[in-house]
Amino acid sequence: MLREFVIACVLATPVCAFAFTGNDLNKLCTKTDPNSRTACAAYIEGAADGIYNTIEAIGGTSGPQVGQYFCLPADVKPQQLTDAVRKYIANNPDKADFNATTMVSLGLGKAFPCKAER
């Protein structure tokens, strides 16, 4: 009986997972209540940290590496990150349906590009 229930639940589950898009992130970030503002900043900081750690795992972040999208200054503020991502989404509406983490990468890359090593 339990086996049939599990199979029925699996079959009833949607095939594609919900995707949090750049549009969704922008809607969250435009809200003015404290919880939404905190969630927006936390998502962007978390995505940036995840991207950074992924880059570190594939070759380092000491300079422009293959796949490195952005280089954040040591003194960057969370609001600067949020502003950069929201500006990128606003200026690129054709990409707003991309995954939100992709939009974080692209927005931070535009605002905080890596300087070429010499």
Side-chain angles (χ1 to χ4, degrees):
M1 178 74 159
L2 180 61
R3 181 177 176 191
E4 289 83 12
F5 177 73
V6 171
I7 291 171
C9 289
V10 168
L11 293 175
T13 304
V15 175
C16 63
F18 171 74
F20 191 62
T21 68
N23 267 332
D24 297 325
L25 179 60
N26 197 43
K27 286 178 190 172
L28 176 65
C29 294
T30 57
K31 294 181 180 179
T32 58
D33 64 282
N35 289 339
S36 296
R37 293 175 61 86
T38 300
C40 168
Y43 183 91
I44 292 172
E45 289 179 65
D49 190 44
I51 295 160
Y52 176 91
N53 288 327
T54 300
I55 294 166
E56 183 69 23
I58 63 170
T61 57
S62 61
Q65 304 289 325
V66 174
Q68 187 167 356
Y69 297 111
F70 56 85
C71 293
L72 298 178
D75 60 346
V76 70
K77 306 286 187 260
Q79 188 61 50
Q80 292 174 283
L81 302 179
T82 299
D83 292 345
V85 172
R86 290 191 59 211
K87 181 178 179 181
Y88 186 82
I89 293 169
N91 291 339
N92 296 278
D94 58 315
K95 296 178 181 161
D97 285 333
F98 285 11
N99 180 284
T101 301
T102 300
M103 296 304 285
V104 171
S105 286
L106 296 172
L108 296 180
K110 181 76 172 170
F112 303 100
C114 296
K115 307 287 188 261
E117 292 182 358
R118 296 172 196 229

